[in-house]
């Protein structure tokens, strides 16, 4: 059973940066896709960024130009570099990986103060 553990969340002022990490219990090279989602209170879960096994990357329009998704296969870790953070980026950020089924982490809280 694959386990995903997020870290790196916290409280930051608007305009600041954070880097989230998602560490997998096994190799990530076999996943078809890995992604970051976020969920704010009272809102639906939103897809933030996706990276495929072939290296294709997509972003939600709301984070394009500010966020960057990447992976380090040697460390079995996915990252989300978040720059120019805005209060509306406040949410629990969740790591997702897919191969036949979806695997989820427990989430890490990101709070951006104005």
């Amino acid at each position: 059973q694959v386990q995903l553990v997020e870290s790196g969340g916290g409280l930051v002022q608007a305009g600041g940066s954070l880097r989230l990490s998602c560490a997998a219990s096994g190799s990530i090279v076999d996943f078809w896709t890995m992604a970051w989602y976020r969920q704010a209170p009272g809102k639906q879960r939103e897809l933030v960024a996706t990276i495929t096994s072939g290296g294709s990357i997509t972003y939600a329009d709301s984070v394009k130009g500010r966020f960057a998704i990447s992976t380090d296969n040697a460390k079995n870790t996915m990252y989300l570099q978040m720059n120019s953070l805005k209060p509306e980026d406040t949410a629990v950020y969740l790591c997702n990986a897919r191969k036949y089924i979806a695997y989820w982490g427990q989430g890490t809280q990101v709070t951006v103060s104005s």
Side-chain angles (χ1 to χ4, degrees):
Q1 180 75 5
V2 174
Q3 292 188 335
L4 303 174
V5 180
E6 301 97 332
S7 61
L11 174 64
V12 64
Q13 289 189 331
S17 298
L18 284 173
R19 188 176 81 156
L20 305 183
S21 298
C22 170
S25 58
S27 175
I28 65 171
V29 297
D30 294 330
F31 290 130
W32 298 335
T33 64
M34 296 191 74
W36 288 98
Y37 286 75
R38 66 186 180 186
Q39 187 158 21
K43 294 188 177 181
Q44 289 191 334
R45 187 168 294 184
E46 175 189 18
L47 177 60
V48 175
T50 302
I51 185 166
T52 70
S53 58
S56 296
I57 291 173
T58 57
Y59 295 102
D61 287 344
S62 58
V63 306
K64 279 181 183 176
R66 299 188 299 122
F67 290 12
I69 189 172
S70 63
T71 56
D72 185 332
N73 293 339
K75 295 183 178 180
N76 296 321
T77 301
M78 176 177 65
Y79 301 99
L80 186 68
Q81 179 66 44
M82 306 187 295
N83 300 324
S84 303
L85 283 162
K86 304 175 181 180
E88 51 264 43
D89 294 317
T90 295
V92 174
Y93 283 71
L94 300 113
C95 171
N96 169 273
R98 294 180 186 272
K99 183 180 182 182
Y100 301 112
I101 65 173
Y103 301 92
W104 292 92
Q106 82 290 347
T108 186
Q109 176 70 46
V110 171
T111 303
V112 184
S113 63
S114 58

